[in-house]
Amino acid sequence: MKRQKSTNEFACNNSSFDLLSEELVLSILDKLNENPLDKKSFSLVCKSFFSIESHHRTTLKPLRPDHLKKTLTRFPYITHLDFSLCPRVTDASLSTISSVCNKMLRSIDLSRSKFFTHVGLSSLATGCSNLVEMDLSNATELRDSAAAAIARAENLERLSLARCKGITDMGIGCIAVGCRKLRFINLKWCLGVGDLGVGLIAVKCKEIRSLDLSYLPITNKCLPSILKLQYLENLVLEGCFGIDDDSLAVLKQGCKSLETLDISSCQNVSHVGLSSLTIGTRCLRQLILAYGSPVTPALADTLQRLSALQSITLDCCPVTCSGLKAIGNWCVSLREISLSKCSGVTDEGLSSLVTRHKDLRKLDITCCRKITHVSIAHITNSCTSLTSLKMESCTLVPKEAFVLIGQRCHLLEELDLTDNEIDDEGLKSISRCSKLSTLKLGICLNITDKGLSHIGMGCSKLMELDLYRSAGITDSGILAVAAGCPGLEMINLAYCQDITDRSLISLSKCSKLNTLESRGCFLITSLGITAIAAGCKQLIKLDIKKCYNVNDTGMIPLAHLSQNLRQINLSYTSVTELGLLSLASISCLQTMTILHLKRLTPSGLAAALLACGALTKVKLQASFKSLLPKPLFEHLEARGCVFQWREKVLQAELDPKCWKLQFVDVQ
């Protein structure tokens, strides 16, 4: 029986909300997950809603630590703290979290934050005894003393120390001894960690499921200990140049639980070392060999003994026709194959492979420039259950071949046709793929509004559309997409030079749109930006570089209505310091690129930078470096902001076809 709210506990003066039970109100709150500002609006309805929302929230994403204690006190049941929008987190902040959250906190993300030390981490680990997950990636200033502090979190199960280059074997040893319950640990790019530290983790943390050792200076000395981990499912050895064929020989001893192995960029591993996999890792489902040894019959014959294998990644590996044919002869039926940028992929080899692996769900043949319509015919005829097909820059495939994709692969959800010869007939056929959510058509110079209109009518589930430099697209095509794809979240219109405000006004009806890239759309004005601001409240990224007619008038609606905006590129627009100052009201704006703003003065820029308190990265013209006071940079850098200086000069825009020819010449 539902408990009715008492008048004293949840009083809303003269409000019909009194009639709602607490359980019903909580169920409403559970549905408010799409827009972060929705829950804030909910809490402002009345005092009872304010109270309920305070007790309902379990996840918090602070913008700055200034009022952290007050905020955490208001939300007493926070279990996950995400500081990815907060560049400055000090020891005092972590001490506050420790004292207020106490045993309630279970997860914290500090991967984008700086300025804390071992002192704050010690307070956090000691006070929040139920902490099970901690992300400290990119904390390059941390040393072994910080690792020793982390070791006090005895219940820790997931720990990411990616790019913590100051931590050594000694610090990892402390973590190994103190955090015995670890199941996931990421040590990618921890260059101070070697065989000793990794060996200690393997010996002390028996519950490890996932271990990322990418680019560590390890050798075969630590592998025996790692492979004795009886629950290990995921092992990443990418870029471990000390691993060779002799190192992998220990795999013969067995690692029966291993399901995923990544040994990409291990230049000293050949089919000889990989033969050890077939003896001791019978449960292996996913194998990543990118940037590795040539794909030959010897390699294929070695791997075919992996009876459970479902996914193999061979990106950027030299491939032979006989090697692909040998993979095609495997008894096991693969679900995923990636051959992106593999030199040597031909119609003969690829056709043989896909003909045998008819259960393929994902296929990546990006930049396989030697294949023609023959390969596409075999792919679409054999692999009718494909959900993802990536074939960017398969430039020898004629336009007629793309019709086959829509005719035969109706289950596609992701399709990348960037830089191909597809035309409107191809798009008409692909519009039959009603489950399509991602479609990339960048640099497709043969498509027009006619073809795009078919996509709008047939692909109602489309969420991501890339039309980068597809010069034949105008407002008519975008209007059709906006009308037929209401769930659109991302669209790239960059350098589609016939796009006007009409397109943006139509896209403003797509309320879930979070990313709009319209750089080089010269006809767009502040009117279109105003429409986007009014209709797309979830907008996170906006790129209007070289939209010369956008001025301060467009910035004011953004400032008032786009409170989720985190990244903006205003280069070459007509925005002045007044427009930049107005953006200061967007509390989560982190990244700003402002190159070649003609009417921007040093004093106006300084005022805008000071006003935008959440900035973490700013790209500026190098000429401003000497015009702004040094204390300004020191203050902003202390706040967590990084400056990137550019020497770019103004350049005339190339015609799309000329640009593509230049692009091909460079490649």
Side-chain angles (χ1 to χ4, degrees), residues 86-97:
C86 190
R88 184 178 178 84
V89 176
T90 64
D91 290 337
S93 303
L94 296 183
S95 179
T96 298
I97 294 169

Side-chain angles (χ1 to χ4, degrees), residues 271 274-275 278 295-306 322-323 325-330:
H271 70 278
L274 292 173
S275 64
T278 63
V295 180
T296 61
L299 177 67
D301 292 342
T302 295
L303 299 180
Q304 70 171 325
R305 299 171 209 158
L306 296 170
S322 56
K325 285 184 175 181
I327 294 177
N329 289 329
W330 287 359

Side-chain angles (χ1 to χ4, degrees), residues 187 194-206 208-213 216 218-237 240 243 250-251 253-258 261:
L187 299 175
D195 290 322
L196 178 60
V198 173
L200 286 170
I201 287 287
V203 170
K204 298 294 184 180
C205 304
K206 301 292 187 181
I208 290 286
R209 265 71 169 172
S210 179
L211 187 58
D212 191 339
L213 306 175
L216 264 60
I218 58 174
T219 66
N220 58 349
K221 292 181 181 179
C222 65
L223 284 184
S225 299
I226 292 173
L227 297 175
K228 288 179 182 178
L229 292 167
Q230 59 180 330
Y231 302 114
L232 185 64
E233 298 174 354
N234 179 38
L235 177 61
V236 184
L237 299 172
C240 293
I243 301 296
V250 297
L251 286 169
Q253 300 173 12
C255 188
K256 297 179 180 179
S257 60
L258 195 64
L261 177 63

